[in-house]
Amino acid sequence: MPCSIITLTTDFGVGSPYVAQMKGVILSINTDVSLVDITHEIAPQDVRSAAQVLDEACRWFPEGTIHVAVVDPGVGTERPLVCASLGCQHFIAPDNGLLSLVLRGADPIRIIRLADRRYWRKEVSSTFHGRDILAPVAAYLSRGVSPDAFGPRHDQLVSLDFSCPVRTSHSITGKITSIDSFGNLISNIDSSMLPGDALRASVRVRLGSHEVQGLVSTYGNGTPGSLVALIGSAGRLEIAVVGGDAAQQLHARVGDEVLVFLPC
Amino acid sequence: MPCSIITLTTDFGVGSPYVAQMKGVILSINTDVSLVDITHEIAPQDVRSAAQVLDEACRWFPEGTIHVAVVDPGVGTERPLVCASLGCQHFIAPDNGLLSLVLRGADPIRIIRLADRRYWRKEVSSTFHGRDILAPVAAYLSRGVSPDAFGPRHDQLVSLDFSCPVRTSHSITGKITSIDSFGNLISNIDSSMLPGDALRASVRVRLGSHEVQGLVSTYGNGTPGSLVALIGSAGRLEIAVVGGDAAQQLHARVGDEVLVFLPC
Amino acid sequence: MPCSIITLTTDFGVGSPYVAQMKGVILSINTDVSLVDITHEIAPQDVRSAAQVLDEACRWFPEGTIHVAVVDPGVGTERPLVCASLGCQHFIAPDNGLLSLVLRGADPIRIIRLADRRYWRKEVSSTFHGRDILAPVAAYLSRGVSPDAFGPRHDQLVSLDFSCPVRTSHSITGKITSIDSFGNLISNIDSSMLPGDALRASVRVRLGSHEVQGLVSTYGNGTPGSLVALIGSAGRLEIAVVGGDAAQQLHARVGDEVLVFLPC
């Protein structure tokens, strides 16, 4: 059954006309498609960060959604382009690690290497495969073309190493993996690693020289300006400043270590 | 009759994947909806500014439009979430003052407190009600579910105090309430408070130590670099620099006093 | 046959609610339209730059697409507003040079001056014709109204002078005309002016005190940090830094001269 949603994740920068060029190519092939921007604010060529954003966004979209991701430092070189059908969604991207995290949680049905030029634009530039290959393939897929038409099976996707938090009986050592526009510091420590609600007041969270006692349930639960720890909307441990910007106030960065001391 | 337009106004920042998560939730419930971004550039937690932007944008949308606004410093605390049907449009937002200005001009048919969890996502985070409650409620509303299904009547919305300009027989004292991307300084003085066209050349407008004699009809009516005053596209008094950026040139800010001297 | 795609190109700034106001007006007249943002990041009143972006983006959209462009320093003054049908697409814009480049490549069928107020909003501000005239005209056009209904024929569009590169037997002198979000320096030298593939290794490209020997086929073909020259996705000569930002590294700007030495 044809799908009508195509999302775009790129490092082109907001306001880049490159995004519009991709949309024009898609709409030239299928007018009846809903285009949704996930983000175009990935730092240039930051494949790891794009892998995270895509993984967290895709789960909110319906079955059948086609996600196109273009963070492609190797454009025009030998790296393959793929269409990966994972769970009930499709991902069209260069095989450079962009799908590392999406792949983890999903059930891979099939991965196809894009090879059949009938589904590409007639003229393919060597510097913008997002527009000339990925966009038209996504559009044909949304019109109901089977992924198998796009090329041969592709054995395995490149998988980047996203280190997991380390857990001992008394502590968890994780790190900040992203910072949102409010300055909230989002870690890679999943709520499932933390003790149940009853014990959350006893947890201590340390970031650099700062320490927070206990978890609160939401940002507003604390005096304005105070540091709090909580489970954020992605289900992971976050450090925030009530009504403020934690990243700025703590001079924190992606990669900083987060230490959780568990109650005995 | 189902409606097909849902707008989004947030403080998530342009390029924030949080916006895409809300869109994914909406499209999972209703694929046939047109999503329009009003803005995501509201300063973090600036409810007053969001109230203004929403008020000025909503009037350009057709009857039946559903506006979702998420500037929600109290997310997860006791503040209610509401669906307010005003005039012929619907507004879904936290009840924190966001609808103060929209409410002024419109005829409130009914206000509902969102309470029925059947129209929420199954798992509701305590930090992102925009995605987990407001987005699905908007989607169900767009599919034709009656607002009454979402919960009980809600008596009264929080109303922030937006001070009106003060008028004497010789002057009007107002203030700058927003600055657009061109640096034009937009005041809260409505054109209806000013004298008719014949007398507009006699008006004097003062901002700090700067004074302008008379109103022009548009930005281009003056020598490049000169200061002009005019009625802007929202029907309110603006101060602009011809071909330039008034905010930068005058070091002006939101909240600065604007004084209009009326002809005797 | 009615068309369902309307694009928007403005200098309103990303996140500007002015864009949403235009979309609201369009959707009030035609709900069944796909709205695509080309960019809203044109520098304020930079008509030349908008002319370039529009020219490069429009070619990727299907026949029948309606492009609305609003970079309009003369709003409210005597400059005409037009609907130009070029090739199989429509362009609705002020006649201030915005369509200079689009016009070059296309076959102008007809140009109409917007004059019939029945297709405008009832109240027309003197500062926002994009919302009050261009948006509704585009929406009516998308519903199948003939361009001839909008007003009388308009003889000739304002054409800005976009200087072409100068070619001698040994060299081409062009310039940087835009810089993308990766910092790639895009010149006005079209690939058709350069020798064929066999001779491209012998070409030398100079920008200020920097010189590159030969063209590579894509950004990744070079050691990280090195300067390369190549044909970019718009078919024009680009100067880039492998995995880096050429504009920053070379302190280059739009307007800088690019010199190509051809093989003898």
Side-chain angles (χ1 to χ4, degrees), chain C residues 204-261:
Chain C
R204 280 179 302 132
V205 178
R206 188 186 289 170
L207 178 82
S209 60
H210 304 277
E211 198 170 296
V212 187
Q213 173 70 48
L215 303 186
V216 295
S217 69
T218 187
Y219 302 115
N221 284 343
T223 41
S226 67
L227 203 62
V228 294
L230 72 167
I231 304 302
S233 66
R236 297 206 309 270
L237 183 70
E238 278 184 38
I239 296 171
V241 163
V242 180
D245 184 312
Q248 218 165 55
Q249 195 165 315
L250 309 187
H251 305 288
R253 293 178 166 212
V254 167
D256 286 359
E257 190 180 278
V258 178
L259 206 56
V260 178
F261 298 101

Side-chain angles (χ1 to χ4, degrees), chain C residues 44-60:
Chain C
Q45 316 189 341
D46 185 348
V47 174
R48 297 181 67 85
S49 163
Q52 289 181 317
V53 166
L54 186 61
D55 178 48
E56 274 168 30
C58 71
R59 65 187 72 171
W60 305 98

